[in-house]
């Protein structure tokens, strides 16, 4: 198992397949993009599948989520999903995506064994989408969501970040739209993972502010801690249910005590936390001939170094050295 010194057990693996992205979201990266990882530095398809196999068969991981950057940009994505779905025991497989390209790949991903998707969409207004992402691809995301639902990649979860002066008035409209289309909406507090280090705590739309906005139109009933488990989102029934809305308050309502995640970066580093500044190299061990047992031991050693919390509740928090596109959200 992947157990840390605080008794938490990691059963949820996040795998970044690429650091590249086809959007330039203002809260993630500069308009000109970033210096991408060189291809030899990236894990190969075989290396990714092998590490997932080690996690599932030797370390007790039961859920794998593929992230980026934008994972749909990974040429071998469908094959990676298919091979991971064939593992025994079979992990639950999900994907976090910006939705661009999902319309043409949703069915193939479902057939390969993907269980569900999370799609990022911060606004219902195309002009605001263009301002936030610096790309005019709003309809492509909507089409991707429709395709995901039609393919059975359910529940389809929609992740939204509210930004002051852009979409901070849209929370009720987004929820009404999600309920109408049978999507599960989750609002995420903006986190300090932008490459340009422009995040400011006092400019963030907090979880409390999101909930206050939603309550102007909806009745929200807490789902409760028993239902939440180790999930990062606090969830509420909308107008008595069955629709639900979630809020992930990573900054103001941290959930570190129940964290069950371990992260693999696109270049083969283990991160015990999204906000960690330390990494443990598995790629080097893979390429130097380490067997599966040794890889498992290195992974366990890395997890024993996991800290009690993310540090986000400390006003003096320093941002991680690498932006989210290189880590995997």
């Amino acid at each position: 198992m992947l157990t840390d010194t605080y008794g938490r057990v990691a059963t949820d693996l996040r795998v970044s397949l690429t650091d590249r992205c086809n959007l330039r979201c203002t809260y993630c990266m500069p308009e000109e993009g970033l210096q991408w990882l060189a291809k030899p530095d990236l894990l190969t398809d075989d290396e990714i599948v092998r590490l997932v196999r080690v996690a599932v068969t030797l370390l007790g991981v039961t859920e794998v989520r593929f992230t980026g950057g934008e994972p749909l940009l990974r040429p071998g994505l469908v094959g990676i999903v298919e091979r991971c779905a064939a593992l025994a025991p079979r992990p639950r497989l999900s994907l976090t995506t910006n939705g661009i390209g999902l319309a043409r790949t949703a069915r193939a991903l479902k057939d390969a064994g993907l269980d569900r998707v999370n799609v990022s969409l911060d606004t219902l207004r195309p002009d605001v989408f263009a301002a936030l992402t610096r790309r005019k691809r709003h309809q492509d995301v909507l089409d991707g969501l429709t395709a995901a639902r039609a393919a059975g990649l359910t529940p389809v979860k929609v992740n939204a970040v509210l930004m002051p002066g852009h979409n901070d008035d849209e929370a009720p409209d987004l929820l009404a739209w999600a309920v109408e289309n049978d999507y599960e909406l989750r609002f995420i507090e903006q986190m300090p993972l932008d490459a340009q280090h422009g995040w400011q705590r006092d400019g963030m739309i907090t979880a409390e502010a999101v909930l206050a906005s939603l309550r102007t139109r909806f009745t929200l009933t807490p789902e409760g801690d028993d239902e939440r488990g180790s999930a990062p989102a606090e969830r509420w029934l909308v107008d008595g249910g069955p629709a639900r809305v979630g809020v992930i308050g990573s900054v103001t309502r941290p959930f570190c005590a129940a964290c069950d995640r371990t992260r693999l970066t696109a270049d083969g580093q283990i991160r015990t936390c999204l906000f960690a500044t330390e990494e443990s190299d598995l790629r080097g061990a893979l390429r130097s001939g380490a067997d599966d047992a040794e890889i498992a031991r290195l992974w366990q050693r890395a997890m024993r170094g996991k800290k009690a919390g993310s540090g986000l509740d400390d006003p003096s928090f320093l941002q991680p050295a690498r932006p989210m596109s290189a880590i995997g959200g």
Side-chain angles (χ1 to χ4, degrees):
M1 292 195 302
L2 291 170
T3 306
D4 65 33
T5 57
Y6 298 92
R8 296 168 297 192
V9 179
T11 58
D12 183 335
L13 170 61
R14 306 298 169 98
V15 181
S16 175
L17 298 180
T18 178
D19 59 330
R20 296 174 185 263
C21 189
N22 42 13
L23 296 180
R24 296 293 181 270
C25 295
T26 57
Y27 51 79
C28 185
M29 68 173 71
E31 185 170 5
E32 66 274 14
L34 300 169
Q35 183 174 353
W36 309 121
L37 292 167
K39 188 173 181 179
D41 292 335
L42 293 170
L43 293 175
T44 66
D45 292 2
D46 288 345
E47 288 171 336
I48 290 170
V49 173
R50 182 182 171 194
L51 289 175
V52 172
R53 187 185 75 238
V54 168
V56 169
T57 62
L58 298 182
L59 296 172
V61 164
T62 58
E63 182 163 349
V64 177
R65 181 180 300 185
F66 300 108
T67 70
E70 174 43 53
L72 293 181
L73 296 179
R74 178 86 186 201
L77 172 61
V78 172
I80 291 171
V81 170
E82 185 173 31
R83 293 167 67 185
C84 290
L87 294 172
R90 184 197 188 282
R92 295 186 298 275
L93 300 175
S94 59
L95 178 82
T96 295
T97 173
N98 62 30
I100 296 173
L102 189 57
R104 64 175 180 271
T105 55
R107 174 52 60 186
L109 288 168
K110 179 64 177 179
D111 291 345
L114 191 70
D115 295 306
R116 64 171 191 83
V117 293
N118 286 28
V119 179
S120 298
L121 181 64
D122 302 322
T123 177
L124 299 176
R125 305 193 293 249
D127 60 325
V128 176
F129 182 90
L132 284 172
T133 68
R134 304 184 179 105
R135 299 290 187 271
K136 296 181 178 181
R137 306 295 298 272
H138 188 258
Q139 188 59 50
D140 292 330
V141 180
L142 295 178
D143 291 345
L145 281 161
T146 300
R149 185 181 57 203
L153 292 169
T154 54
V156 176
K157 296 184 180 181
V158 177
N159 296 338
V161 177
L162 298 183
M163 300 288 290
H166 289 281
N167 61 341
D168 49 338
D169 60 337
E170 282 198 72
D173 290 339
L174 280 163
L175 181 53
W177 165 82
V179 171
E180 180 182 352
N181 289 279
D182 198 26
Y183 302 137
E184 184 175 321
L185 180 63
R186 307 192 311 172
F187 291 97
I188 304 175
E189 287 182 338
Q190 184 198 3
M191 294 178 284
L193 290 167
D194 55 313
Q196 58 269 44
H197 295 256
W199 179 83
Q200 294 183 352
R201 185 180 298 268
D202 58 4
M204 178 189 66
I205 306 298
T206 65
E208 252 341 291
V210 171
L211 291 169
S213 179
L214 293 176
R215 288 183 175 120
T216 64
R217 196 183 304 180
F218 303 94
T219 299
L220 303 182
T221 306
E223 188 177 58
D225 291 340
D226 290 343
E227 291 289 336
R228 182 181 181 183
S230 61
E234 296 178 79
R235 298 202 305 180
W236 285 261
L237 295 174
V238 179
D239 291 339
R244 291 171 170 81
V245 64
V247 178
I248 300 177
S250 300
V251 179
T252 65
R253 300 159 86 132
F255 43 88
C256 301
C259 181
D260 65 349
R261 299 181 186 182
T262 181
R263 297 176 181 275
L264 178 65
T265 68
D267 54 350
Q269 310 301 305
I270 288 298
R271 278 204 166 210
T272 59
C273 174
L274 187 60
F275 303 99
T277 55
E278 304 87 10
E279 296 178 334
S280 300
D281 181 26
L282 293 188
R283 185 191 64 198
L286 281 174
R287 295 180 181 178
S288 64
D291 61 17
D292 288 356
E294 177 60 20
I295 296 295
R297 284 192 292 271
L298 291 171
W299 208 325
Q300 289 171 319
R301 185 185 307 162
M303 290 305 295
R304 285 195 291 273
K306 184 169 184 170
K307 297 179 179 178
S310 65
L312 282 176
D313 52 352
D314 181 350
S316 64
F317 173 79
L318 297 176
Q319 294 160 298
R322 295 217 275 174
M324 184 158 51
S325 63
I327 302 167

